[in-house]
Amino acid sequence: MENLVQSLVDAISMGSLFALMALGIGLVFGIMRLVNFAHGELVMIGGYGLLLLSGAPDAIAAVLVIALVVLVALVMERCAFRPLRQRSTPTLLIGSFTVSFLLQNLVLMTIAPRLAASISDRHCCRASASARSLYLTYRSS
């Protein structure tokens, strides 16, 4: 019964995240008439920001991460999308793909290697007993 309740909470949480992302993409498309393929990268930056600020109090970390994501979105709009606003639709799509590719690779080159080196095994294994045994089985083979 406990697993069923946890699975339902996880499903509702994940569904809420997907709904929030879809709402953001819909708002951007409705206002700017731009399919922003880099919208998911803003969520990625927020997630990495929360992970990097995991030692800070939750309220402070949330405010800092929201400020970071808003700043990145404003810089992205100012530098990449504003110069292309009066261009054709394929040009906007290529610009959006370019921003997405740039942000993904920027995070892969800067943040991801440090996180992989700094996260210890005990942080990776604390989710549940079954996840811990699965992880330790994977690590030993």
Side-chain angles (χ1 to χ4, degrees):
M1 185 64 179
E2 182 180 327
N3 288 337
L4 176 65
V5 173
Q6 184 62 47
S7 294
L8 287 173
V9 169
D10 290 343
I12 291 170
S13 173
M14 191 60 90
S16 299
L17 180 64
F18 289 149
L20 189 62
M21 288 179 62
L23 183 65
I25 289 172
L27 283 172
V28 168
F29 181 73
I31 293 171
M32 296 177 58
R33 296 287 177 218
L34 164 72
V35 178
N36 186 3
F37 290 106
H39 186 77
E41 278 65 31
L42 294 174
V43 175
M44 172 191 65
I45 289 171
Y48 273 122
L50 282 175
L51 187 60
L52 289 172
L53 294 172
S54 62
D58 290 346
I60 294 173
V63 168
L64 289 175
V65 166
I66 289 171
L68 172 70
V69 171
V70 167
L71 179 70
V72 170
L74 289 173
V75 168
M76 184 172 64
E77 195 276 331
R78 180 72 57 148
C79 295
F81 297 131
R82 187 171 286 186
L84 300 176
R85 190 166 288 162
Q86 301 303 322
R87 306 290 176 150
S88 66
T89 303
T91 305
L92 287 170
L93 288 174
I94 291 170
S96 180
F97 278 129
T98 303
V99 171
S100 173
F101 186 74
L102 176 73
L103 288 175
Q104 285 178 12
N105 286 298
L106 186 67
V107 167
L108 282 173
M109 290 187 308
T110 58
I111 297 173
R114 285 189 286 154
L115 284 176
S118 67
I119 295 176
S120 67
D121 287 345
R122 66 182 174 85
H123 287 96
C124 294
C125 297
R126 65 180 180 176
S128 68
S130 62
R132 184 176 302 122
S133 64
L134 178 66
Y135 178 76
L136 293 176
T137 304
Y138 173 75
R139 292 283 290 177
S140 63
S141 52

